[in-house]
PDB file of all heavy atoms in Angstrom:
ATOM      1  N   LYS A1441     -11.690  16.683  -2.042  1.00 96.00           N
ATOM      2  CA  LYS A1441     -11.968  17.929  -2.765  1.00 96.00           C
ATOM      3  C   LYS A1441     -13.101  18.719  -2.093  1.00 96.00           C
ATOM      4  O   LYS A1441     -13.008  19.929  -1.942  1.00 96.00           O
ATOM      5  CB  LYS A1441     -12.368  17.607  -4.214  1.00 96.00           C
ATOM      6  CG  LYS A1441     -11.171  17.564  -5.139  1.00 96.00           C
ATOM      7  CD  LYS A1441     -11.619  17.337  -6.575  1.00 96.00           C
ATOM      8  CE  LYS A1441     -10.433  17.502  -7.514  1.00 96.00           C
ATOM      9  NZ  LYS A1441     -10.658  16.952  -8.844  1.00 96.00           N
ATOM     10  N   ASN A1442     -14.149  18.009  -1.699  1.00 96.00           N
ATOM     11  CA  ASN A1442     -15.280  18.688  -1.048  1.00 96.00           C
ATOM     12  C   ASN A1442     -14.867  19.297   0.278  1.00 96.00           C
ATOM     13  O   ASN A1442     -15.279  20.403   0.621  1.00 96.00           O
ATOM     14  CB  ASN A1442     -16.432  17.690  -0.795  1.00 96.00           C
ATOM     15  CG  ASN A1442     -17.184  17.418  -2.074  1.00 96.00           C
ATOM     16  OD1 ASN A1442     -17.075  18.180  -3.038  1.00 96.00           O
ATOM     17  ND2 ASN A1442     -17.930  16.326  -2.097  1.00 96.00           N
ATOM     18  N   GLU A1443     -14.062  18.552   1.028  1.00 98.00           N
ATOM     19  CA  GLU A1443     -13.622  19.078   2.331  1.00 98.00           C
ATOM     20  C   GLU A1443     -12.735  20.306   2.158  1.00 98.00           C
ATOM     21  O   GLU A1443     -12.788  21.245   2.952  1.00 98.00           O
ATOM     22  CB  GLU A1443     -12.874  17.989   3.111  1.00 98.00           C
ATOM     23  CG  GLU A1443     -13.795  16.908   3.649  1.00 98.00           C
ATOM     24  CD  GLU A1443     -13.050  15.684   4.171  1.00 98.00           C
ATOM     25  OE1 GLU A1443     -11.853  15.505   3.824  1.00 98.00           O
ATOM     26  OE2 GLU A1443     -13.654  14.898   4.907  1.00 98.00           O
ATOM     27  N   LEU A1444     -11.922  20.283   1.109  1.00 98.00           N
ATOM     28  CA  LEU A1444     -11.040  21.426   0.854  1.00 98.00           C
ATOM     29  C   LEU A1444     -11.885  22.660   0.526  1.00 98.00           C
ATOM     30  O   LEU A1444     -11.626  23.770   1.007  1.00 98.00           O
ATOM     31  CB  LEU A1444     -10.091  21.098  -0.302  1.00 98.00           C
ATOM     32  CG  LEU A1444      -9.030  22.144  -0.626  1.00 98.00           C
ATOM     33  CD1 LEU A1444      -8.082  22.351   0.556  1.00 98.00           C
ATOM     34  CD2 LEU A1444      -8.217  21.738  -1.863  1.00 98.00           C
ATOM     35  N   GLN A1445     -12.914  22.424  -0.288  1.00 97.00           N
ATOM     36  CA  GLN A1445     -13.812  23.520  -0.649  1.00 97.00           C
ATOM     37  C   GLN A1445     -14.470  24.116   0.602  1.00 97.00           C
ATOM     38  O   GLN A1445     -14.508  25.324   0.786  1.00 97.00           O
ATOM     39  CB  GLN A1445     -14.891  22.964  -1.578  1.00 97.00           C
ATOM     40  CG  GLN A1445     -15.392  23.955  -2.577  1.00 97.00           C
ATOM     41  CD  GLN A1445     -16.312  23.275  -3.582  1.00 97.00           C
ATOM     42  OE1 GLN A1445     -17.386  22.836  -3.216  1.00 97.00           O
ATOM     43  NE2 GLN A1445     -15.883  23.190  -4.821  1.00 97.00           N
ATOM     44  N   LYS A1446     -14.917  23.240   1.465  1.00 97.00           N
ATOM     45  CA  LYS A1446     -15.596  23.694   2.686  1.00 97.00           C
ATOM     46  C   LYS A1446     -14.623  24.467   3.581  1.00 97.00           C
ATOM     47  O   LYS A1446     -14.973  25.513   4.157  1.00 97.00           O
ATOM     48  CB  LYS A1446     -16.164  22.482   3.439  1.00 97.00           C
ATOM     49  CG  LYS A1446     -16.928  22.880   4.659  1.00 97.00           C
ATOM     50  CD  LYS A1446     -17.656  21.732   5.333  1.00 97.00           C
ATOM     51  CE  LYS A1446     -18.373  22.204   6.599  1.00 97.00           C
ATOM     52  NZ  LYS A1446     -17.513  22.863   7.573  1.00 97.00           N
ATOM     53  N   ALA A1447     -13.387  23.972   3.668  1.00 97.00           N
ATOM     54  CA  ALA A1447     -12.393  24.663   4.509  1.00 97.00           C
ATOM     55  C   ALA A1447     -12.163  26.083   4.001  1.00 97.00           C
ATOM     56  O   ALA A1447     -12.006  27.022   4.787  1.00 97.00           O
ATOM     57  CB  ALA A1447     -11.089  23.867   4.514  1.00 97.00           C
ATOM     58  N   LEU A1448     -12.188  26.249   2.680  1.00 97.00           N
ATOM     59  CA  LEU A1448     -11.976  27.582   2.102  1.00 97.00           C
ATOM     60  C   LEU A1448     -13.189  28.481   2.339  1.00 97.00           C
ATOM     61  O   LEU A1448     -13.049  29.655   2.686  1.00 97.00           O
ATOM     62  CB  LEU A1448     -11.677  27.455   0.601  1.00 97.00           C
ATOM     63  CG  LEU A1448     -10.259  26.969   0.297  1.00 97.00           C
ATOM     64  CD1 LEU A1448     -10.131  26.538  -1.150  1.00 97.00           C
ATOM     65  CD2 LEU A1448      -9.235  28.056   0.616  1.00 97.00           C
ATOM     66  N   VAL A1449     -14.367  27.908   2.165  1.00 97.00           N
ATOM     67  CA  VAL A1449     -15.590  28.681   2.407  1.00 97.00           C
ATOM     68  C   VAL A1449     -15.632  29.130   3.875  1.00 97.00           C
ATOM     69  O   VAL A1449     -15.989  30.264   4.188  1.00 97.00           O
ATOM     70  CB  VAL A1449     -16.840  27.845   2.021  1.00 97.00           C
ATOM     71  CG1 VAL A1449     -18.123  28.542   2.479  1.00 97.00           C
ATOM     72  CG2 VAL A1449     -16.875  27.613   0.514  1.00 97.00           C
ATOM     73  N   ASP A1450     -15.195  28.236   4.768  1.00 97.00           N
ATOM     74  CA  ASP A1450     -15.205  28.559   6.201  1.00 97.00           C
ATOM     75  C   ASP A1450     -14.306  29.748   6.561  1.00 97.00           C
ATOM     76  O   ASP A1450     -14.490  30.382   7.590  1.00 97.00           O
ATOM     77  CB  ASP A1450     -14.768  27.331   7.034  1.00 97.00           C
ATOM     78  CG  ASP A1450     -15.875  26.282   7.107  1.00 97.00           C
ATOM     79  OD1 ASP A1450     -17.011  26.590   6.698  1.00 97.00           O
ATOM     80  OD2 ASP A1450     -15.585  25.158   7.556  1.00 97.00           O
ATOM     81  N   ILE A1451     -13.284  30.019   5.726  1.00 96.00           N
ATOM     82  CA  ILE A1451     -12.470  31.215   6.017  1.00 96.00           C
ATOM     83  C   ILE A1451     -12.874  32.382   5.096  1.00 96.00           C
ATOM     84  O   ILE A1451     -12.117  33.329   4.901  1.00 96.00           O
ATOM     85  CB  ILE A1451     -10.949  30.933   5.921  1.00 96.00           C
ATOM     86  CG1 ILE A1451     -10.542  30.479   4.495  1.00 96.00           C
ATOM     87  CG2 ILE A1451     -10.503  29.912   6.955  1.00 96.00           C
ATOM     88  CD1 ILE A1451      -9.060  30.621   4.203  1.00 96.00           C
ATOM     89  N   GLY A1452     -14.058  32.250   4.497  1.00 96.00           N
ATOM     90  CA  GLY A1452     -14.611  33.369   3.726  1.00 96.00           C
ATOM     91  C   GLY A1452     -14.149  33.449   2.277  1.00 96.00           C
ATOM     92  O   GLY A1452     -14.302  34.470   1.625  1.00 96.00           O
ATOM     93  N   GLU A1453     -13.601  32.347   1.754  1.00 96.00           N
ATOM     94  CA  GLU A1453     -13.144  32.350   0.352  1.00 96.00           C
ATOM     95  C   GLU A1453     -14.179  31.720  -0.573  1.00 96.00           C
ATOM     96  O   GLU A1453     -15.044  30.967  -0.141  1.00 96.00           O
ATOM     97  CB  GLU A1453     -11.819  31.583   0.232  1.00 96.00           C
ATOM     98  CG  GLU A1453     -10.639  32.315   0.818  1.00 96.00           C
ATOM     99  CD  GLU A1453     -10.430  33.689   0.202  1.00 96.00           C
ATOM    100  OE1 GLU A1453     -10.536  33.822  -1.032  1.00 96.00           O
ATOM    101  OE2 GLU A1453     -10.203  34.649   0.966  1.00 96.00           O
ATOM    102  N   LYS A1454     -14.026  31.995  -1.872  1.00 94.00           N
ATOM    103  CA  LYS A1454     -14.939  31.419  -2.864  1.00 94.00           C
ATOM    104  C   LYS A1454     -14.576  29.946  -3.102  1.00 94.00           C
ATOM    105  O   LYS A1454     -13.397  29.591  -3.113  1.00 94.00           O
ATOM    106  CB  LYS A1454     -14.793  32.163  -4.200  1.00 94.00           C
ATOM    107  CG  LYS A1454     -15.245  33.610  -4.143  1.00 94.00           C
ATOM    108  CD  LYS A1454     -16.702  33.702  -4.615  1.00 94.00           C
ATOM    109  CE  LYS A1454     -17.233  35.113  -4.643  1.00 94.00           C
ATOM    110  NZ  LYS A1454     -17.187  35.834  -3.383  1.00 94.00           N
TER     111      LYS A1454
END
Side-chain angles (χ1 to χ4, degrees):
K1441 270 184 172 164
N1442 283 342
E1443 287 168 342
L1444 185 62
Q1445 211 172 67
K1446 183 173 178 304
L1448 284 166
V1449 171
D1450 285 349
I1451 61 161
E1453 288 303 317
K1454 294 265 182 302

